[in-house]
């Protein structure tokens, strides 16, 4: 009977560890955001196209990921999806309207080309350090990170935005970075 308990205990521990490693529980850093990128690729495929990607952190729920995505960049049809507690839900269907002489794909991006979620996670860490140093706010909390696509479709103007708050809430500090990770500005 004793030998049966050991394998059961091992299986239970393995299950608990695997449940805690989903996108909802990832840290707001380079490794955590790379894990989120893998979760997105697992759900939508490595060749998916996005027009919107937001990672929000809620203290009681963990990370909430919101995307607008398609597997056909020439289609004007996209789906809006949200992941919470590591469960994906489609919230709506979207039909894009594109300005004349432009393609829907002009307003889309793929993970890895040019968007690097690992870089975005690193920018969250950099933003925390900058906020602690410049504004003397100890241990700022990650609130949100997103990819901002310009309305004119110019890919070189894509920005990463990182929103942080003091540990106990209050003012939201928004740091903007260009596609290469260069600091643009901080607003609050």
């Amino acid at each position: 009977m004793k030998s049966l308990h050991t394998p059961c205990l091992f299986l239970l521990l393995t299950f608990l560890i695997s449940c805690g490693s989903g996108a909802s529980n990832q840290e707001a850093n380079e490794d955590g955001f790379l894990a989120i990128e893998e979760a997105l690729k697992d759900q939508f495929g490595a060749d998916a196209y996005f027009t919107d990607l937001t990672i929000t952190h809620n203290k009681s729920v963990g990370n909430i990921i919101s995307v607008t995505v398609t597997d056909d960049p020439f289609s004007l049809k996209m789906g809006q999806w949200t992941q919470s507690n590591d469960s994906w839900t489609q919230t709506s269907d979207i039909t894009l309207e594109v300005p004349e002489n432009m393609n829907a794909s002009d307003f889309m991006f793929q993970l890895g080309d040019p968007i690097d979620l690992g870089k975005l996670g690193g920018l969250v860490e950099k933003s925390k350090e900058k906020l602690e140093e410049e504004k003397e706010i100890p241990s700022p909390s990650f609130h949100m990170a997103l990819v901002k696509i310009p309305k004119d479709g110019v890919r070189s103007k894509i920005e990463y935005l990182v929103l942080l708050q003091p540990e106990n809430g209050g003012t939201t500090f928004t740091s903007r970075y260009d596609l290469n990770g260069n600091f643009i500005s901080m607003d609050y």
Side-chain angles (χ1 to χ4, degrees):
M1 186 64 107
K2 209 176 206 184
S3 63
L4 182 61
H5 289 293
T6 303
C8 290
L9 182 59
F10 177 75
L11 287 173
L12 178 63
L13 285 173
T14 303
F15 176 74
L16 289 174
I17 290 169
S18 67
C19 286
S21 63
S24 292
N25 299 315
Q26 294 299 322
E27 293 291 322
N29 59 30
E30 185 173 349
D31 291 338
F33 277 34
L34 283 172
I36 290 171
E37 183 172 318
E38 286 306 309
L40 288 164
K41 288 178 179 178
D42 288 347
Q43 177 67 26
F44 303 108
D47 296 328
Y49 288 80
F50 300 85
T51 58
D52 176 53
L53 189 153
T54 304
I55 303 165
T56 306
H57 185 76
N58 179 294
K59 288 181 183 179
S60 60
V61 177
N63 296 323
I64 300 167
I65 304 166
S66 300
V67 296
T68 304
V69 62
T70 186
D71 58 0
D72 181 2
F74 301 104
S75 167
L76 297 178
K77 306 264 186 236
M78 299 189 82
Q80 200 165 37
W81 291 78
T82 301
Q83 185 206 60
S84 181
N85 293 319
D86 295 321
S87 177
W88 286 101
T89 305
Q90 185 172 5
T91 55
S92 66
D93 288 313
I94 295 175
T95 301
L96 296 178
E97 290 186 29
V98 180
E100 197 171 317
N101 299 323
M102 296 193 84
N103 296 315
S105 60
D106 294 338
F107 301 92
M108 298 179 185
F109 61 87
Q110 289 183 288
L111 299 175
D113 179 34
I115 302 305
D116 180 347
L117 288 190
K119 181 182 289 181
L120 181 55
L123 293 174
V124 171
E125 293 177 292
K126 183 178 176 180
S127 297
K128 285 182 177 184
E129 291 169 7
K130 190 172 189 69
L131 195 55
E132 287 177 343
E133 184 179 299
E134 291 183 10
K135 301 295 182 186
E136 298 180 2
I137 296 176
S139 305
S141 297
F142 170 65
H143 176 62
M144 183 185 302
L146 58 107
V147 177
K148 182 179 178 189
I149 302 298
K151 293 182 183 200
D152 61 8
V154 177
R155 296 173 81 70
S156 63
K157 294 182 185 176
I158 294 173
E159 293 182 3
Y160 295 117
L161 274 63
V162 175
L163 287 73
L164 303 174
Q165 294 179 332
E167 193 171 22
N168 295 321
T171 303
T172 300
F173 294 85
T174 303
S175 295
R176 295 175 43 225
Y177 297 88
D178 69 16
L179 194 54
N180 295 317
N182 298 311
F183 179 75
I184 297 171
S185 68
M186 179 176 19
D187 301 315
Y188 53 94

